[in-house]
Amino acid sequence: QVQLVQSGGGMVQAGGSLRLACAASGRTFSDGVMSWFRQAPGKDFGIKDFDFVAAISFTRNSASTSYADSVTGRFTIARDSARNTVFLQMHNLQPEDTANYFCVAAESVYDLKHPGSYPYWGQGTQVTVSS
């Protein structure tokens, strides 16, 4: 099993920055995908209620990233392989970024932008952006 523990988040004014972290433990893997999804206020816990934010696909020697259009240029996903930790650095936050953010992981995915691809989920962390 893989355990994902999230940290960071909180409340910030529009234009501000926050950083989320997601530490993996247990049966970690050297090749895989770790991503962030978010659940906007009022959404439920169905598959369609989670919006893709960013992903990092990694092997022992390389990594590639992917972002939702809405966050491109503002958010950066990065991985510290030594600590099995993924970070989401968020700049120029806007009220529409307000959501509960979830870290997810998988050894392989059929669609990295689909939440159903990921068997391992963090506990979620709230990000609130005020105008």
Side-chain angles (χ1 to χ4, degrees):
Q1 282 293 335
V2 175
Q3 291 80 43
L4 302 176
V5 177
Q6 299 178 218
S7 60
M11 185 178 294
V12 67
Q13 289 188 328
S17 299
L18 287 172
R19 188 175 82 156
L20 307 182
C22 174
S25 62
R27 191 182 64 80
T28 56
F29 31 86
S30 56
D31 298 358
V33 182
M34 292 185 74
S35 300
W36 291 92
F37 285 79
R38 63 189 182 187
Q39 179 193 37
K43 292 286 190 177
D44 210 331
F45 284 88
I47 286 292
K48 294 183 178 181
D49 296 307
F50 295 92
D51 297 320
F52 171 76
V53 176
I56 183 164
S57 302
F58 55 90
T59 67
R60 288 183 184 274
N61 301 311
S62 65
S64 61
T65 58
S66 180
Y67 297 93
D69 290 343
S70 60
V71 307
T72 297
R74 301 187 298 124
F75 291 12
T76 301
I77 188 170
R79 178 176 177 261
D80 182 337
S81 58
R83 291 193 285 166
N84 289 313
T85 299
V86 167
F87 301 94
L88 184 69
Q89 179 68 55
M90 305 181 289
H91 293 299
N92 191 22
L93 283 159
Q94 300 300 315
E96 53 265 34
D97 295 316
T98 294
N100 198 1
Y101 284 70
F102 290 86
C103 170
V104 298
E107 289 185 81
S108 63
V109 297
Y110 59 88
D111 180 355
L112 60 79
K113 296 183 179 181
H114 194 287
S117 294
Y118 301 88
Y120 307 112
W121 286 66
Q123 80 275 21
T125 186
Q126 181 67 35
V127 170
T128 302
V129 185
S130 60
S131 57

